[in-house]
Amino acid sequence: MSSSSRDSAAGAGWHGQQVGSYRDLMPADAPKVFWLNPSTLWKARNGPLASLFGDPTGADRQRWVRGRIEQGAPEDLVIARDDPDTYSFMLIADTGEGDGPQYAVVPGFLKESAGTRFTLLSSDVLYPVGSANEYGPKFFRPYRDYQAPIYPVPGNHDWYDGLTGFMRVFCDAPALPPRPRPTPLSAAWWRDRLWRPPAVPDEQLLAEVRKLRSAPAQQAALPGPYWAIDSGPLRIIGIDTGLLGDIDHEQGEWLRRVSQGPRPKILVTGSPIYVDGEHHPCAIGGGGTVDEIVADPERNFVAAIGGDIHNYQRYPVQVGDRTIQYVVSGGGGAFMHATHTIPQVAVGGVTEQDFRCYPLRGDSLAFYSRLYGRRLRMRRLLELTPELAAAVIAKRLRIPTTRPNQTRVTLRARLVATLLGVARTAHRKARVRLPVRRLYTRVLSPGSATYSPPFFKSFLRLDVTPDSVRIRCFAATGMQEQEIEPPVEDDFTVPLR
């Protein structure tokens, strides 16, 4: 097994290693998503409009569900599989930019997915908006050699197209009829005046790209935008958190029904419940939260895995006499969200000693310092080595370095850490942490799209037995060494009994 980023800087993909062969998999005209381009931001305007003028996705979601049931989908939206009690499956998320970082995940994913029965895709199948006409290079082509079904849950970017592309591709559903006209000059009226309509699917193009994943073993018909899978000893429940990271009343009632009983369950969600050192319980329309359901001992959830944030994080939360593993796994291909802005962890009873993330905070800071040093042509001022970045993180957060490190922290390193959003100490995070983290999440992280490795992508493999689920996080850096032998960045076991 190759060394990981927790072992050495070389294991993280630093220090001039040879680039992998992932570029051979890409189309010659692979797209590049420029997130801060005004045209891209305008395409993605439905999210801010929903925040300002009211979110229509709950009502639209139920129209999609009713249409699928009329088409013949089971009313409980449960997929019954014939998996044995011992088997394996994969999980990827936030994949579809269609560029180098997405394709860099593919070689390692194909290697480690050998023998698995299916893959879950938790959030944001496509970027920047989920048009059916972009599924060729961003979904069908990269995963054409994976010979098993892929079951996705949508993310907010899939909803930027009104979920039309997602439902056409995965549910074979026709487009929704227009919503009823709102009262003139109401908030909904103003929203609909500015709302981006969904793209009309090009059926000929879609039929052509579907041939890339046309084998019978690859097919997966979803009953709707949210679903449950009965698989071996597990019930896996996928929820649709829409544009704003919550679920509507009807989906909440469905979630309560399918979560009943002692069978072990894993939640897959487009919005993680614990992330960046904070707790986001996910509101349910009409009252209650998703996390109240997950934490209920009578329902026996053992893990909750969410996408949306483009890195890996794990929070083992003690709930009564058991531990629920709350995981962020959004490193499937889109731009990297910073981990160096995560404060010293103290949330849900989880401390820094129990917390895991990938990339390591020091590697995240080194990545951003290199990126903005080059873009601003200020490399001598801004660029930090991985060793110096890790040292300044340890000093600021008062935590030990993960890799052995004797590097002395310089005044320049402290300045760069401040400019790039590293917290000083845990007790100061309440005053300065949230605005800085939001700045990086919403503005500067989207600007981190880069086409030069290391990329710090990741994916999960889950190995199921009647007694436990072993979960491993594998890294994909874009470098040949990690492509040939993907390093394990986290490895833990969840008991089922």
Side-chain angles (χ1 to χ4, degrees), residues 416-481:
V416 172
T418 299
L419 291 173
L420 296 184
V422 178
R424 284 187 176 275
T425 55
H427 75 271
R428 293 187 60 178
K429 70 180 180 183
R431 284 187 289 149
V432 301
R433 201 71 214 97
L434 192 57
V436 170
R437 188 184 65 78
R438 285 179 175 168
L439 173 68
Y440 270 85
T441 299
R442 298 178 183 179
V443 180
L444 297 182
S445 280
S448 74
T450 180
Y451 306 101
S452 300
F455 295 127
F456 299 105
K457 304 291 101 184
S458 59
F459 57 89
L460 304 184
R461 177 177 169 124
L462 297 89
D463 300 307
V464 182
T465 72
D467 299 314
S468 64
V469 180
R470 181 188 182 190
I471 303 179
R472 284 174 287 173
C473 172
F474 289 92
T477 66
M479 296 300 188
Q480 186 176 69
E481 182 178 337

Side-chain angles (χ1 to χ4, degrees), residues 59-358:
D60 287 348
R61 182 187 294 119
Q62 293 312 317
R63 292 200 293 156
W64 283 118
V65 170
R66 287 191 291 271
R68 285 293 291 134
I69 293 173
E70 290 172 1
Q71 284 181 298
E75 291 192 11
D76 61 3
L77 307 179
V78 175
I79 302 166
R81 291 182 50 86
D82 61 353
D83 300 311
D85 284 347
T86 299
Y87 71 101
S88 300
F89 67 95
M90 306 295 286
L91 187 143
I92 53 177
D94 300 281
T95 51
E97 287 188 358
D99 52 17
Q102 179 180 9
Y103 280 86
V105 176
V106 173
F109 171 82
L110 292 176
K111 180 180 187 300
E112 297 301 334
S113 65
T116 59
R117 308 230 356 147
F118 58 87
T119 286
L120 306 178
L121 202 166
S122 61
S123 177
D124 292 339
V125 183
L126 252 64
Y127 293 97
V129 295
S131 168
N133 301 326
E134 298 181 8
Y135 269 80
K138 298 181 179 182
F139 177 76
F140 288 105
R141 183 184 179 108
Y143 310 118
R144 60 184 174 179
D145 292 327
Y146 178 64
Q147 298 299 317
I150 297 176
Y151 300 101
V153 293
N156 58 312
H157 287 267
D158 302 302
W159 270 102
Y160 289 162
D161 191 58
L163 213 61
T164 300
F166 181 98
M167 295 297 291
R168 187 74 190 92
V169 170
F170 297 111
C171 301
D172 202 25
L176 288 178
R179 290 191 291 265
R181 291 185 178 182
T183 303
L185 301 182
S186 65
W189 184 88
W190 286 109
R191 179 196 65 210
D192 288 357
R193 299 286 75 74
L194 298 170
W195 198 258
R196 180 188 183 276
V200 177
D202 182 331
E203 296 296 341
Q204 183 176 353
L205 174 64
L206 191 54
E208 188 65 27
V209 298
R210 282 186 189 275
K211 295 177 183 177
L212 296 172
R213 282 186 52 83
S214 59
Q218 294 175 312
Q219 304 313 300
L222 293 182
Y226 53 89
W227 40 259
I229 299 175
D230 285 340
S231 176
L234 292 173
R235 169 164 280 189
I236 304 165
I237 301 174
I239 61 172
D240 169 18
T241 55
L243 282 171
L244 302 182
D246 53 19
I247 67 174
D248 61 89
H249 175 74
E250 289 187 50
Q251 185 179 182
E253 290 303 300
W254 169 86
L255 177 60
R256 292 182 175 101
R257 290 193 300 272
V258 298
S259 298
Q260 292 176 354
R263 187 175 190 169
K265 300 172 186 72
I266 293 176
L267 181 76
V268 177
T269 170
S271 299
I273 293 173
Y274 282 87
V275 59
D276 292 346
E278 299 173 1
H279 181 218
H280 299 269
C282 187
I284 298 174
T289 69
V290 169
D291 197 32
E292 289 173 354
I293 297 172
V294 171
D296 183 350
E298 297 298 320
R299 301 180 187 275
N300 198 20
F301 279 88
V302 297
I305 305 174
D308 187 52
I309 300 300
H310 307 164
N311 53 48
Y312 173 83
Q313 303 173 42
R314 178 165 65 91
Y315 301 81
V317 177
Q318 190 74 20
V319 181
D321 60 354
R322 62 201 181 101
T323 299
I324 300 176
Q325 298 286 348
Y326 290 88
V327 177
V328 180
S329 184
F335 65 86
M336 186 192 83
H337 278 128
T339 58
H340 66 263
T341 59
I342 302 173
Q344 187 183 104
V345 170
V347 62
V350 179
T351 65
E352 191 66 34
Q353 184 177 359
D354 306 312
F355 170 71
R356 292 290 183 273
C357 71
Y358 176 79

Side-chain angles (χ1 to χ4, degrees), residues 9 12 14-15 362-363 366-367 369 384-391 403 405 407:
W14 295 115
H15 300 326
D363 290 329
F367 174 93
S369 71
L384 304 180
T385 65
E387 293 77 13
L388 184 53
R403 303 189 291 255
N405 193 335
T407 305

Side-chain angles (χ1 to χ4, degrees), residues 5-30:
S5 70
R6 304 184 71 84
D7 301 316
S8 67
W14 295 115
H15 300 326
Q17 299 180 40
Q18 184 174 346
V19 175
S21 62
Y22 66 90
R23 293 174 179 170
D24 298 337
L25 306 174
M26 298 169 59
D29 57 347

